[in-house]
Amino acid sequence: MKQNLYTIAENNCIAKDTYRMVLKGDTSANTRPGQFVNIEIPGLYLRRPISVCDCCSEGYTLIYKVVGKGSEALSKMEPGARLDLLTGLGNGFDVSKAGKKPVLVGGGLGSAPMYAVAKAIRAADPDAEITVILGFNAAEEIVLVKEFEELGVKLEIATLDGSAGTKGFVTDIMKRLDYSNFFTCGPGPMARAVEATAKTSGQYSLEERMGCGFGACMGCSIQTRSGNKRVCKDGPVFEREEIIWQTPK
């Protein structure tokens, strides 16, 4: 984990209530796709965790949605502003387990870390047959289509209202595919649906409310087959075989 100041290079609305922020600064703490950063927002007590969509030597690309005070404040920040970030947080995906035909499944903003996963798999194996399934409520929420297509993946879209791609859920597409392994990130109900559908081993990036973001407060603990684990520190990525799925409250 590192703490540094980053300069906003871009901060643009790219879909309904959804923004892309490009930050310039040190990315050396980021070692795997699926890790996240924790952003300090002036005037607010808790930092805001956001998954890394893309990472290069110059900085980070983050995708976030306006859902509360913190994200609303972020959306109003102009290029040139400086932000305090904790970086290199969490354990990411192990793309060495992808195999030759991996499937990547992202729901809503869970699509963002899937781009980093696809990019890492493509870099490790240029010949991998990567399928990416993205799920959204409606066409107006879709993001990252061009970016995924430029990686040469097979891209499938599902929307609940049928306004783009397949009408229904990401699992409706997943059911008809053959794949070597899966990687997924999205809301809890989607993760449970993937668990009920998946045919192979895989890895989940779990979404939990985080207090500190680096394992101190224990507020995001879950049960696993090897004991309680902290989503922010021991995850957010977990192997399918180690997760104990709890009954939703």
Side-chain angles (χ1 to χ4, degrees):
M1 179 180 72
K2 283 189 175 183
Q3 181 175 5
N4 279 307
L5 289 175
Y6 294 78
T7 301
I8 299 175
E10 299 177 27
N11 191 25
N12 301 312
C13 184
I14 58 172
K16 182 183 179 182
D17 300 325
T18 305
Y19 287 73
R20 182 206 315 270
M21 177 178 282
V22 178
L23 297 169
K24 297 299 182 182
D26 178 24
T27 61
S28 60
N30 204 85
T31 58
R32 275 187 176 185
Q35 291 181 293
F36 64 96
V37 301
N38 227 1
I39 303 178
E40 182 181 273
I41 300 174
L44 297 178
Y45 178 65
L46 293 177
R47 290 176 180 264
R48 266 46 178 187
I50 299 180
S51 296
V52 173
C53 174
D54 195 12
C55 172
C56 64
S57 59
E58 291 81 22
Y60 292 107
T61 297
L62 311 177
I63 307 293
Y64 66 96
K65 193 163 188 172
V66 175
V67 294
K69 290 182 179 179
S71 50
E72 182 179 6
L74 278 182
S75 72
K76 296 177 180 178
M77 293 184 177
E78 300 287 342
R82 303 267 277 173
L83 287 171
D84 184 300
L85 269 67
L86 300 178
T87 61
L89 296 173
N91 287 311
F93 291 96
D94 182 357
V95 300
S96 70
K97 298 181 179 182
K100 298 303 291 186
K101 294 182 65 176
V103 63
L104 283 52
V105 185
L109 291 189
S111 304
M114 290 298 100
Y115 176 76
V117 174
K119 189 177 177 182
I121 294 173
R122 177 62 73 224
D125 184 358
D127 298 321
E129 298 178 30
I130 306 169
T131 299
V132 177
I133 309 171
L134 305 181
F136 303 92
N137 290 315
E140 62 186 358
E141 298 181 3
I142 295 173
V143 295
L144 297 173
V145 169
K146 178 182 177 182
E147 289 82 355
F148 277 111
E149 290 178 343
E150 288 176 347
L151 288 177
V153 307
K154 180 181 179 182
L155 180 62
E156 302 241 20
I157 300 289
T159 53
L160 290 181
D161 67 357
S163 55
T166 298
K167 182 177 181 178
F169 302 97
V170 292
T171 48
D172 295 326
I173 299 172
M174 197 176 180
K175 287 174 184 176
R176 56 179 167 80
L177 300 180
D178 291 320
Y179 45 90
S180 54
N181 211 305
F182 70 88
F183 303 82
T184 187
C185 180
M190 189 203 84
R192 293 173 183 278
V194 169
E195 176 62 19
T197 302
K199 307 170 187 176
T200 68
S201 293
Q203 297 168 43
Y204 291 87
S205 180
L206 300 182
E207 294 186 352
E208 290 286 334
R209 293 185 67 86
M210 298 179 187
C212 67
F214 48 84
C217 72
M218 307 296 290
C220 60
S221 295
I222 63 166
Q223 290 185 359
T224 73
R225 301 192 187 283
S226 54
N228 287 342
K229 296 286 184 70
R230 299 158 294 179
V231 171
C232 70
K233 181 74 172 179
D234 304 307
V237 177
F238 294 91
E239 296 282 349
R240 180 185 192 185
E241 291 76 11
E242 64 179 316
I243 299 173
I244 297 175
W245 296 94
Q246 301 295 311
T247 303
K249 296 179 181 179

